[in-house]
Amino acid sequence: MIRDLVMRRATIDDAAALAEIHMEARAAAMPWLAVVHTPNEVFQYFRQDVIPGSDVWLASSPAGIAGFSARLGSELGHLYVAVPFWQQGIGTALIQMAMLTVPRLELWTFQRNTGARQFYEGHGFTAVAFTDGSENEEREPDVRYRWEGPDDQA
């Protein structure tokens, strides 16, 4: 775990950093994944949609923004760690923060993204659905995960 890690809510001023982390982490973790948006489209998406419309948390260190998560209701739409910060506990800090805020989390990840699948399963998520990818932009088979906290009655 990184020393001096600070969790804070994202602001519009963080949009460029979040977009960069998103694009770089996806490219590094999933080089096989189709790129369907330009960098400017990704930036605009974070600036106009994700940050104002979601509960977005940053993990920040003295070296910069290490990662972020974005949740809307029980849907965890994004959890990305900047490549230089991989394997340092940032993802765990972010998922634990999300788990503290709601009694249940759900998310999608790609079936071939074995690193993400191991991460989520290691944090108590269960696969509840598999698709052929026809409903996502990348046309990549995906898997739906769910985590239910100890007090979730739904």
Side-chain angles (χ1 to χ4, degrees):
M1 180 66 119
I2 291 180
R3 294 183 55 177
D4 302 321
L5 188 68
V6 175
M7 301 293 276
R8 69 171 175 85
R9 286 217 159 85
T11 69
I12 295 298
D13 293 337
D14 298 311
L18 271 58
E20 183 177 331
I21 291 169
H22 171 85
M23 291 182 291
E24 289 179 358
R26 284 171 67 106
M30 301 173 285
W32 40 262
L33 186 63
V35 176
V36 296
H37 295 285
T38 67
N40 187 57
E41 289 172 334
V42 174
F43 166 70
Q44 294 300 333
Y45 169 65
F46 278 95
R47 187 171 69 81
Q48 296 173 358
D49 297 329
V50 176
I51 293 172
S54 301
D55 187 24
V56 183
W57 284 90
L58 300 181
S60 185
S61 80
I65 297 174
F68 71 94
S69 67
R71 181 188 53 75
L72 180 58
S74 65
E75 186 71 22
L76 186 64
H78 299 282
L79 193 155
Y80 289 96
V81 175
V83 176
F85 294 95
W86 283 5
Q87 302 297 316
Q88 296 181 45
I90 305 300
T92 294
L94 289 163
I95 199 72
Q96 288 175 344
M97 175 64 82
M99 290 170 154
L100 289 172
T101 61
V102 291
R104 177 179 51 232
L105 288 170
E106 298 187 59
L107 61 92
W108 290 100
T109 194
F110 297 109
Q111 290 182 32
R112 287 201 284 171
N113 189 351
T114 56
R117 294 185 64 189
Q118 289 172 350
F119 173 81
Y120 292 122
E121 290 169 9
H123 285 88
F125 284 74
T126 302
V128 295
F130 292 83
T131 78
D132 63 4
S134 62
E135 299 295 318
N136 64 53
E137 292 179 312
E138 296 85 356
R139 300 294 183 251
E140 180 70 31
D142 52 9
V143 56
R144 180 84 166 157
Y145 277 97
R146 180 177 299 140
W147 169 83
E148 294 183 6
D151 297 328
D152 188 27
Q153 302 299 317

